Amino acid sequence: SENMESILLFAPLFGVNIWHAAVICMSKIETGRFASISESALLSSLTLCVHRTVHVLGALCFIAFGVLIIDVWWPGAFLLTLAAVFDVFQAFYLNKKTNHRAFTLRDAHQVLAWTMAVCYMLFCLLFTIHTHVDLWLVASYVGILLSVIIWSQLTRFAYFWVAQMIFFVLTSV
């Protein structure tokens, strides 16, 4: 049913974004500085366990959504399922040895996380086209993401946690 599809699509978007904001705030309180989502999730073994659980539950919802829509729109179902699989892997590859410098593509967690982000972004773009969202909204989304990337580069990723939250919230919207 449409209600089930909506729940499977939107519950993880809200849940995971709320968790990301919460873990960043917890890390700020504990360490006195803001850190990326991944760095924040490593605050303790409990936060890492919750982080992984939240990502697995979100991914399971996305995969279930993909299964429900595969007959109607298989490219979106495939891309969302692929993103969800990368989401789970990146969460489980996150550990104390993870290199948190941006674009460190020799680190398994980073490669998986960037691949996940690209897959979610491509799903979002395909979904907006598939559902006939106005082109100016799609162009605005891409423009804001490009602006965030440029801003992150200019600030040498000093506020990467902000860029991450903008990306995930904007992609969710």
Side-chain angles (χ1 to χ4, degrees):
S1 79
E2 278 188 31
N3 288 339
M4 179 56 75
E5 289 176 7
S6 294
I7 290 169
L8 290 172
L9 185 60
F10 292 111
L13 297 177
F14 289 112
V16 174
N17 283 322
I18 289 168
W19 166 251
H20 285 166
V23 78
I24 287 170
C25 289
M26 286 187 288
S27 179
K28 166 69 169 142
I29 292 167
E30 186 71 27
T31 66
R33 70 175 188 86
F34 285 106
S36 71
I37 295 166
S38 296
E39 288 174 291
S40 298
L42 292 171
L43 187 63
S44 70
S45 57
L46 178 60
T47 55
L48 182 58
C49 181
V50 171
H51 184 75
R52 288 174 173 163
T53 301
V54 166
H55 279 269
V56 167
L57 292 174
L60 288 173
C61 286
F62 285 148
I63 291 167
F65 177 81
V67 167
L68 288 176
I69 67 165
I70 198 149
D71 290 337
V72 179
W73 187 47
W74 72 265
F78 173 77
L79 195 52
L80 184 60
T81 301
L82 189 62
V85 168
F86 280 113
D87 200 346
V88 170
F89 281 126
Q90 67 84 27
F92 278 91
Y93 270 89
L94 177 61
N95 61 63
K96 296 283 185 188
K97 294 180 182 177
T98 296
N99 186 337
H100 296 285
R101 287 193 334 240
F103 295 114
T104 307
L105 298 182
R106 292 184 188 161
D107 183 272
H109 165 75
Q110 284 237 16
V111 170
L112 293 164
W114 283 106
T115 304
M116 169 206 70
V118 168
C119 288
Y120 279 137
M121 182 188 68
L122 291 174
F123 171 78
C124 177
L125 289 170
L126 279 180
F127 190 74
T128 58
I129 292 165
H130 178 74
T131 57
H132 308 291
V133 171
D134 287 339
L135 187 58
W136 71 269
L137 285 170
V138 177
S140 297
Y141 169 74
V142 172
I144 292 169
L145 289 184
L146 288 173
S147 298
V148 168
I149 291 168
I150 292 167
W151 172 72
S152 287
Q153 289 283 342
L154 292 173
T155 61
R156 297 177 188 217
F157 299 97
Y159 306 98
F160 188 59
W161 65 276
V162 174
Q164 287 179 304
M165 288 306 295
I166 289 170
F167 170 79
F168 286 120
V169 170
L170 189 61
T171 300
S172 297
V173 171

